[in-house]
Amino acid sequence: MKIIVDDVSGTAIQHLIASHLTSMNETSPPESVHALGIDKLRKDVTVWSAWIGESLAGCGALKELDPTHGEIKSMKTDHGHLRKGVAGALLSHIIQEAKNRGYHRLSLETGSMDAFRPAQLLYERAGFQYCPPFGAYTDDPNSRFMTLEL
């Protein structure tokens, strides 16, 4: 698997991001969808894509909240690459990048519904703990917030 910085200009990554937004809108009410579209991902966010051969396997992103705190955004595995370790590899890559940037904490928001349980388990296995809302987030029964002290 190869993980590269992605400028989100390619058709494959744009399709995966669109798929991510569609699935978020199908499982969460509009006010609880915090996934970023292409234009927002191009601003102040680093996006990585994971490739297996010539096939886009997944993506993930890191947004700086302040010089010591980052937020994971846009974690998505292509359906054809589920259970191949793509999400774990991307998460490890993002955690290492957060450490390289000197962040002290890495946080994320994910859904609270059953559809998000696999993501929650991935983050739990990586050492993330549940926490109150951070940054501009507010309490939302459709969201779970997690953080990892680096």
Side-chain angles (χ1 to χ4, degrees):
M1 182 180 322
K2 179 173 70 170
I3 298 175
I4 60 169
V5 172
D6 199 305
D7 66 4
V8 296
S9 64
T11 303
I13 189 74
Q14 289 184 6
H15 178 74
L16 188 61
I17 297 298
S19 170
H20 181 57
L21 289 169
T22 297
S23 64
M24 294 302 99
N25 283 294
E26 289 173 350
T27 55
S28 301
E31 66 275 7
S32 298
V33 174
H34 303 289
L36 301 177
I38 299 293
D39 291 338
K40 289 186 179 179
L41 285 171
R42 287 184 173 143
K43 296 179 184 175
D44 304 319
V45 179
T46 304
V47 178
W48 289 273
S49 54
W51 297 82
I52 297 175
E54 298 297 315
S55 179
L56 176 62
C59 64
L62 179 59
K63 177 180 179 180
E64 183 170 293
L65 299 176
D66 68 45
T68 64
H69 189 189
E71 179 183 5
I72 295 175
K73 301 294 293 182
S74 301
M75 287 285 289
K76 176 70 174 175
T77 301
D78 180 80
H79 287 288
H81 293 286
L82 292 172
R83 292 167 199 51
K84 294 181 181 178
V86 175
L90 280 163
L91 182 58
S92 293
H93 187 87
I94 292 170
I95 291 170
Q96 186 57 55
E97 177 63 22
K99 289 177 181 178
N100 293 347
R101 291 182 183 187
Y103 295 163
H104 299 190
R105 185 163 58 124
L106 187 57
S107 300
L108 63 95
E109 179 275 339
T110 190
S112 63
M113 293 71 101
D114 288 343
F116 296 95
R117 190 65 188 136
Q120 294 166 5
L121 290 171
L122 171 74
Y123 300 128
E124 288 172 8
R125 284 192 301 270
F128 283 79
Q129 303 291 317
Y130 291 95
C131 66
F134 59 90
Y137 292 106
T138 59
D139 279 322
D140 180 345
N142 298 300
S143 291
R144 299 291 308 264
F145 303 97
M146 302 178 82
T147 196
L148 176 68
E149 296 295 325
L150 304 172

